[in-house]
Amino acid sequence: MASDAPPSKRRRVDDYDVPSPIGASKAETRHVAHVAQLLFENGLLEQGVTGRSLAKHLTEGKTHHNTDAFFKLTNGTEVLFEYDPGFTHGDSDVGRDQRKTTKLREMFPDAFVVRLRVGAAHFEQLSQWGDNVLVVVTESQLPNVAASAAVTAVAQRIHQGGAAATKACPSSNHDNAAANDAAADVWARMSKEFEAAEQRVATLVGGDLDLARKLMATPGVPSRVLTGAFEKSIKGLQDPKFGITNLGTFVCGGVAAKFDDPEKLFDILTALKTRFGIKS
């Protein structure tokens, strides 16, 4: 039964943290949701997908060398999942994708790396990867169809040599609804988190929302926005003594990495300005 209380008085039934939407997309979120639900339906995950579990898969992926999603299967196997749509994984991106796959194999030698190539460029598997890399190719833009191809490949590998069926069951209407609902909930929360972070940055740069958006697009900034060190760094960089006239251009990934230690950052800037005469 719906609550009669006004929205401001209602309790959030299931509150959970979501990953930063930086570098993510709604399509990626939906594909991961459908993969999670089908893994469950095929007995490879312990629970069906919910907003909370989807957020966990996405967040844990980020902690595994910025992978799109992480799954711990019922038999203990770890799966690192990458969603590769054609518009960001063309011919010129193949080398980058291969290097990342190699890095994942080096960092997590016992895990399976699954790359779901949705209309993406041809991708050669390298011999040094062994059998722990699954490259799944599909031209379907439908998340449930693409996810079924990915889960089939995982099921075949997990059940290899066993009596279990090697073709994953297709998604049902229930599966599609569960995955779409979870993805919609997570993406809505990710968008709100991002907007709130943008507003926080804007307040630190004199209300300039355009500048805040530019800073939020800088690698290393979103993950630090809520820290006191970030606030101190951003305020300090606006001190006239440093002569920084364009904060949006000055702050890059390397500078953002220094935000964890504002005093050290300020010492570096002071040295560049006073000892070496370098101007921003």
Side-chain angles (χ1 to χ4, degrees):
M1 178 182 292
S3 170
D4 293 328
S8 60
K9 299 292 184 182
R10 293 178 194 164
R11 287 184 60 193
R12 199 178 216 175
V13 200
D14 187 18
D15 198 8
Y16 56 84
D17 293 329
V18 294
S20 167
I22 295 292
S25 70
K26 184 181 291 186
E28 174 190 301
T29 306
R30 291 185 67 198
H31 278 77
V32 172
H34 280 272
V35 168
Q37 181 62 19
L38 283 179
L39 286 172
F40 166 70
E41 289 294 341
N42 283 273
L44 297 173
L45 275 186
E46 291 185 353
Q47 71 171 92
V49 70
T50 62
R52 178 183 290 274
S53 68
L54 175 58
K56 183 178 180 182
H57 293 313
L58 294 168
T59 301
E60 290 185 344
K62 302 309 177 190
T63 65
H64 286 74
H65 196 56
N66 202 32
T67 306
D68 292 337
F70 172 85
F71 301 102
K72 183 75 171 284
L73 303 187
T74 50
N75 69 347
T77 299
E78 295 182 344
V79 174
L80 306 175
F81 177 78
E82 290 279 271
Y83 164 65
D84 299 342
F87 62 89
T88 53
H89 294 265
D91 291 332
S92 62
D93 304 304
V94 169
R96 177 201 64 193
D97 292 344
Q98 289 177 326
R99 287 190 296 273
K100 182 173 183 180
T101 303
T102 298
K103 187 67 175 177
L104 291 174
R105 288 290 295 120
E106 292 172 350
M107 295 177 67
F108 312 101
D110 296 326
F112 279 134
V113 178
V114 179
R115 301 205 73 116
L116 179 56
R117 311 282 290 178
V118 181
H122 179 65
F123 187 81
E124 289 284 351
Q125 292 206 196
L126 304 183
S127 58
Q128 64 262 38
W129 295 342
D131 296 327
N132 278 32
V133 174
L134 302 177
V135 179
V136 183
V137 179
T138 178
E139 295 301 320
S140 177
Q141 301 295 320
L142 297 174
N144 61 319
V145 176
S148 181
V151 174
T152 295
V154 173
Q156 289 174 341
R157 183 59 55 86
I158 295 300
H159 298 315
Q160 196 170 38
T166 58
K167 182 166 179 59
C169 66
S171 58
S172 64
N173 289 337
H174 167 75
D175 295 327
N176 291 336
N180 289 335
D181 287 349
D185 189 50
V186 169
W187 186 254
R189 297 188 193 213
M190 289 168 71
S191 298
K192 289 179 181 177
E193 293 283 333
F194 186 69
E195 290 173 6
E198 276 188 342
Q199 290 296 332
R200 172 173 168 74
V201 176
T203 62
L204 298 175
V205 293
D208 189 336
L209 189 55
D210 288 337
L211 175 56
R213 287 170 176 163
K214 188 169 185 177
L215 290 171
M216 284 291 289
T218 304
V221 168
S223 62
R224 294 175 168 87
V225 166
L226 298 180
T227 66
F230 174 83
E231 179 175 348
K232 187 173 183 178
S233 296
I234 286 294
K235 288 182 175 179
L237 291 179
Q238 297 172 78
D239 191 317
K241 70 181 181 182
F242 292 126
I244 298 172
T245 56
N246 190 331
L247 194 62
T249 302
F250 179 81
V251 176
C252 60
V255 172
K258 300 290 190 299
F259 286 172
D260 295 332
D261 190 342
E263 296 305 328
K264 187 174 182 179
L265 171 63
F266 301 152
D267 287 344
I268 292 172
L269 293 177
T270 300
L272 290 174
K273 189 172 181 66
T274 59
R275 294 173 55 190
F276 302 104
I278 298 176
K279 298 181 180 180
S280 302

